[in-house]
Amino acid sequence: MRRMRKLRPLLVALVVTSPFHAALAFAQGAPAAPAPAPAPTSSPVEMTTLKLMLAKGLISQAEYDSAMHDLADSAGMRAPDQSTLVVGKWSTTFYGFIEADHIYDSTQSFSEVPGNNQVQRPPPAALPASSPSTRYAGEHGRLMFGVRNSRFGFRLKAPEAGGIRTSAQFEMDLLGQAAGNGQPGAAGAVSEGSFFNNPAVRVRHANLKIETPILDILVGQYWHLFGWQSVFHPNTVTIQGVPGQIYGRTPQIRLSKTLKFGDIQLEIAAAALRPPQRDSEVPDLQGGVRVAYNGWNGMTTAGSAGTSLMPVSLAVTGDWRRFSVQEFSVTPTHSTDHATTAIALDAFIPVIPATKDKKGNSLSLNGEVVSGYGIADLYTGFASGLTNPVIPGAAQPPSNVDGNLVVYGPDGQLHGIQWTSYLIGVQYYLPGLDGRYWISANYSHTRSSNTTNFVRNFPQVAPIPTDTNLTYAGLVRQSEDWWDVNLFGDVAPGVRIGLEYANFNDKYADTIHAINHRVQASGFFLF
C-alpha cells in the first residue's frame, strides 16, 4: 500500500497527459492543450519595390540605377515604387499606364498618331465645275476616341554575379499595324470600329542587357541611338513622335560605357542596327557621346508619363547607312549603291533647377537639331510625297527600298532625300504644388533642301492626269512648322490628365500651305 501511494502522482500525470484524457476532456467541453506553433519559414516569393530592395541590400546601387534608366520614359519618378515580384534572387518589375485619348482635328489628315504625315491640302481658291478635284479631306474634320497608346511592360533581372549584371526588358503597347489604318475604303482596310475598339498589340522593347565593369552590351529591340533617345524627348499630350522629332526603336547590337568623374558623367556608345533596307547587306551604324552634370538638375517629362529629375545634359550622335537599289532599268541586273550620313545635337537645360524636395517653380528647356540624308524612317510616319519615276517601258519604279529615303533624280543618279529639323520645348512646373501641375510648349520646323529637285515628270508644272488643278509639285512637301501648348495635372494618386492645342502647317513644293488644328484631351492611369 505504501508503494501504491508513492506511485499515485506519477499515474495521475500519465493519465492527464494521455490522448485518451485529451479526447475525454474535448468531449466534456474542456479546452484541449494548444498545439505547438510551427517553426517560421521564409517564403521564396515576395512582392516588393525596387526602393525596398535597394534598402535591404537585395540589389546593388548599380542594379538600381540600371532599372531606373530602363523605366524612365514610362514610369519616371514612380520607378522606385513599381511593383516587383521577387523569386529567390530573381525579380520582375511590372509597369505601364492606361491612356484614354479624345482628339479633334480640323482636317481628315491623321489617325491618333499624326507623326510627320502630310496635312491634306485645302480646296483650290477657284475650282472649275468640271474638275474632279474637291480636296474633301482638307476642308472636313474628324473626331477620334481611343486607348491604343496604353502601355505595359516587364523588366526582368537575374542575380548579379562577379560584378556582371544581366537583365531583360519586354514592353508593348496597342498601336499595332492595321490594314488601311482605320480608313474606310482603303485596300484591305479593317473597319473603324475594329481599328479603335480591338487594337493590335505592338512590341516596343524586347532586349537583353549585360553590364560589366568594362563594357555594357545590349542586344534586341530598343531606342535608336541617334538622338540619344529617349533622354531628350519633349513633353506633349500628342502621341509621339511629333513632327520634327527623331523617334523610333529597332533591333540592334549596342556597346556602351559610362564613366564618372565626381558629378560629371560621360557616356559613349556605338551600335549596329537593323538596316533601313535589308537588300543593302550592311547594318545601319550609329554612335554618340553624352555628357551630364549631376550637380544641376531640373524637372522633365518625356512624352506624357515619364516625369523625373534630370541633370543638365548634352549629346552628339551620328548615323551612317548604305542603300543598294535596283538600277534604273526595265530588266535590272545591277544595283546602284549610295551612302548617306546624318548628325544630331540634343540638349537639356534646367533654367530654374529642381530637387527631390523642391519640384515646383522649376523651368527647363529641351532642344534637338538634326540634319542628314535618307533618314525619313528615323522620324514617325514621315511622308515627303516623293516617289521614284517610272522606268520607261516598266509597270512600276524600282521598289526594293522603302519610300521617302532615296530617289532617282533627273540625272539618272540615286540621291538621298535631305531633311533638316529642329525642335525646342519648355516645361514650367507650377510653384507650391510639388511638381504635380505644369505647363509646356513645343515648336518644331522641318525642311528639305532638295525635294523640289525630284518632283516627278520634270518640269514641276506637269498636271496630274486625274486632277487639272494640281501639279506633281502639289504632292511634294517642302517644309512643315508645328507647335503646341499643353497643361498637365496629377489630380489623384496614379491619375494624370493632359489638355493640348496643336497647330500643323505643311508647305508644299508649289508654295501652298495646308493647316490642321488639333485639340486633344487625354487621361492616364499610371501603374
Side-chain angles (χ1 to χ4, degrees):
M1 293 293 297
R2 184 179 302 172
R3 182 174 298 175
M4 289 296 298
R5 283 195 299 269
K6 290 182 178 179
L7 291 177
R8 187 179 299 170
L10 178 59
L11 293 174
V12 171
L14 289 173
V15 171
V16 170
T17 57
S18 68
F20 173 79
H21 180 269
L24 181 61
F26 178 79
Q28 294 175 348
T41 59
S42 58
S43 172
V45 179
E46 179 184 0
M47 287 298 299
T48 183
T49 67
L50 294 168
K51 183 193 297 183
L52 289 175
M53 292 176 68
L54 177 64
K56 294 178 179 179
L58 299 177
I59 58 175
S60 66
Q61 184 66 50
E63 289 179 299
Y64 178 82
D65 293 341
S66 179
M68 296 302 100
H69 175 272
D70 293 343
L71 305 181
D73 59 303
S74 294
M77 298 184 74
R78 304 184 320 280
D81 299 309
Q82 295 302 114
S83 297
T84 300
L85 175 67
V86 178
V87 181
K89 293 185 177 181
W90 296 71
S91 64
T92 299
T93 301
F94 180 57
Y95 64 94
F97 54 82
I98 295 171
E99 177 174 343
D101 299 309
H102 316 86
I103 304 167
Y104 172 77
D105 282 312
S106 62
T107 68
Q108 297 175 358
S109 303
F110 311 126
S111 65
E112 321 103 289
V113 187
N116 293 265
N117 288 291
Q118 291 173 276
V119 179
Q120 295 296 308
R121 292 164 59 97
L127 186 66
S130 60
S131 172
S133 171
T134 62
R135 302 289 167 271
Y136 180 90
E139 63 175 353
H140 292 82
R142 63 178 26 155
L143 178 67
M144 296 171 286
F145 287 9
V147 297
R148 299 193 329 127
N149 198 44
S150 299
R151 183 184 308 175
F152 59 98
F154 303 87
R155 184 184 186 274
L156 303 94
K157 183 197 75 69
E160 182 175 341
I164 297 177
R165 302 181 300 276
T166 57
S167 61
Q169 185 178 17
F170 190 39
E171 181 177 299
M172 295 150 283
D173 61 23
L174 305 179
L175 288 168
Q177 297 292 330
N181 204 27
Q183 185 69 34
V190 299
S191 68
E192 285 189 38
S194 294
F195 180 76
F196 288 104
N197 301 342
N198 303 295
V201 174
R202 179 185 70 164
V203 174
R204 285 173 55 88
H205 298 300
N207 58 72
L208 62 94
K209 185 167 57 173
I210 303 172
E211 299 170 280
T212 75
I214 301 174
L215 203 63
D216 297 338
I217 305 169
L218 182 145
V219 181
Q221 181 157 308
Y222 190 63
W223 293 109
H224 277 275
L225 176 58
F226 191 70
W228 208 281
Q229 301 177 65
S230 61
V231 173
F232 299 97
H233 286 172
N235 172 223
T236 173
V237 178
T238 290
I239 301 173
Q240 297 192 25
V242 298
Q245 177 193 6
I246 293 294
Y247 188 91
R249 301 162 299 276
T250 197
Q252 61 191 273
I253 302 172
R254 180 184 298 195
L255 305 178
S256 60
K257 178 65 176 178
T258 300
L259 303 171
K260 295 184 178 181
F261 309 93
D263 284 336
I264 297 177
Q265 181 172 302
L266 177 67
E267 297 179 73
I268 306 169
L273 304 94
R274 180 193 63 82
Q277 182 205 16
R278 60 187 177 183
D279 290 348
S280 69
E281 303 180 84
V282 295
D284 185 1
L285 301 179
Q286 298 178 4
V289 177
R290 173 180 177 246
V291 61
Y293 174 61
N294 294 312
W296 184 12
N297 297 283
M299 289 289 291
T300 185
T301 301
S304 300
T307 303
S308 63
L309 282 170
M310 178 171 153
V312 57
S313 306
L314 177 68
V316 180
T317 51
D319 178 272
W320 180 92
R321 44 185 42 186
R322 191 189 76 163
F323 297 92
S324 185
V325 182
Q326 296 169 356
E327 64 176 325
F328 199 70
S329 170
V330 176
T331 56
T333 58
H334 298 85
S335 63
T336 301
D337 296 340
H338 185 73
T340 64
T341 59
I343 188 170
L345 177 66
D346 292 83
F348 174 76
I349 303 174
V351 179
I352 304 177
T355 65
K356 292 182 179 179
D357 300 322
K358 183 182 177 299
K359 304 182 184 72
N361 190 33
S362 62
L363 177 70
S364 58
L365 300 175
N366 60 275
E368 179 176 77
V369 179
V370 178
S371 183
Y373 291 80
I375 58 173
D377 62 313
L378 298 179
Y379 299 86
T380 297
F382 203 99
S384 66
L386 284 176
T387 59
N388 274 308
V390 176
I391 303 169
Q396 61 183 18
S399 58
N400 68 329
V401 63
D402 284 345
N404 303 303
L405 296 170
V406 291
V407 64
Y408 277 105
D411 58 359
Q413 301 299 311
L414 192 65
H415 299 265
I417 302 173
Q418 194 277 337
W419 291 102
T420 296
S421 65
Y422 54 82
L423 169 67
I424 186 170
V426 58
Q427 305 174 43
Y428 178 66
Y429 294 78
L430 302 177
L433 299 171
D434 196 32
R436 293 184 295 110
Y437 292 84
W438 69 97
I439 56 176
S440 67
N442 303 278
Y443 169 75
S444 73
H445 177 77
T446 309
R447 185 177 185 85
S448 175
S449 65
N450 68 357
T451 53
T452 56
N453 298 337
F454 309 123
V455 174
R456 191 194 296 181
N457 281 7
F458 322 96
Q460 299 174 18
V461 295
I464 295 175
T466 59
D467 189 343
T468 58
N469 289 277
L470 185 65
T471 66
Y472 282 109
L475 297 176
V476 174
R477 165 183 283 166
Q478 185 177 34
S479 65
E480 181 179 23
D481 290 279
W482 172 83
W483 60 271
D484 77 339
V485 178
N486 307 271
L487 173 64
F488 283 92
D490 291 339
V491 297
V495 178
R496 174 172 295 179
I497 58 173
L499 180 64
E500 174 196 41
Y501 168 77
N503 183 284
F504 303 74
N505 187 334
D506 226 341
K507 182 181 178 183
Y508 284 77
D510 62 356
T511 72
I512 296 297
H513 287 260
I515 298 174
N516 181 79
H517 303 276
R518 168 170 284 207
V519 177
Q520 179 169 343
S522 296
F524 310 84
F525 183 81
L526 313 170
F527 58 85

